[in-house]
Amino acid sequence: MTSNSDKPASSQKPTFTPEQIEALYFDTARQGEIELLTEFIRAGMDINHQNHEGHTALILASYHNHTQAVQLLLDHGADPNILDNKGATALTGVAFKGYIPIAELLIKAGADVNAENNLKRTALMFAILFGRKDMIKLLLQSGANPHHEDGEGTTPIKLAESQGDIELIQLLKQQN
């Protein structure tokens, strides 16, 4: 009588717990590993599955600046408007990081440029806080509201005024 441990290692199939599979899926997105991410999609992984922080593969790939992974996920139906546990979308993360190509992909896929996080802050507000002028221009061109008030009554214009950026203040005030 032989046991499974007597079989050569090459004939034993590894088994993974659902938690391990989930962790690998999210690590794959975080690292932008296209081939493995494609295999997860082919195997039927829920493209919009959220981890314990509410992150999706799209949020993680976007935040870590993996344009090809973002495109792959969007092509397979990833929802750019899913909120994480803090109310942030994929666009929120790229707005403060300044990842223009990814922001363009997300917006083209229907990302809400005026989505609010749990503090009612928008991607535009984060772009202003982190001085991402090209991102600010893209968001404004895409319909971001420069008059939106967060939970503290602050607007994008007020944020720009607090930073003393005259050019940015004028840009924001030119918007309807």
Side-chain angles (χ1 to χ4, degrees):
M1 178 181 222
T2 60
S3 69
N4 283 345
S5 62
D6 294 336
K7 290 183 180 179
S10 62
S11 69
Q12 292 181 354
K13 291 185 179 180
T15 56
F16 297 99
T17 66
E19 294 79 16
Q20 289 171 320
I21 293 169
E22 178 184 281
L24 183 57
Y25 174 61
F26 288 119
D27 284 345
T28 299
R30 187 180 292 109
Q31 295 167 9
E33 295 178 20
I34 300 298
E35 294 81 17
L36 193 51
L37 198 53
T38 301
E39 290 304 315
F40 273 109
I41 293 167
R42 274 195 204 127
M45 187 71 178
D46 176 3
I47 201 117
N48 292 313
H49 180 69
Q50 292 177 272
N51 68 12
H52 65 282
E53 294 176 324
H55 296 151
T56 62
L58 181 64
I59 289 172
L60 293 170
S62 297
Y63 185 82
H64 291 281
N65 201 22
H66 297 297
T67 308
Q68 287 182 314
V70 168
Q71 185 66 65
L72 175 70
L73 291 162
L74 290 170
D75 288 347
H76 286 87
D79 183 348
N81 292 307
I82 290 178
L83 305 175
D84 69 13
N85 295 351
K86 293 180 180 179
T89 64
L91 185 59
T92 307
V94 300
F96 83 83
K97 291 232 172 185
Y99 301 152
I100 298 290
I102 292 178
E104 291 171 336
L105 289 175
L106 294 169
I107 292 167
K108 184 179 176 187
D112 179 359
V113 295
N114 291 305
E116 303 172 349
N117 72 3
N118 294 348
L119 300 173
K120 296 187 72 176
R121 293 193 179 122
T122 64
L124 178 60
M125 297 175 105
F126 283 103
I128 292 168
L129 286 169
F130 288 87
R132 307 293 186 191
K133 287 196 179 174
D134 289 339
M135 181 65 69
I136 293 164
K137 290 174 185 174
L138 172 64
L139 292 169
L140 289 170
Q141 291 166 359
S142 301
N145 180 2
H147 307 287
H148 171 82
E149 285 190 18
D150 69 11
E152 297 173 341
T154 301
T155 65
I157 293 171
K158 287 179 185 175
L159 286 175
E161 288 171 345
S162 71
Q163 294 178 349
D165 188 328
I166 303 301
E167 177 189 346
L168 183 54
I169 294 165
Q170 291 173 341
L171 176 66
L172 291 165
K173 286 185 175 180
Q174 289 171 359
Q175 304 301 309
N176 293 334

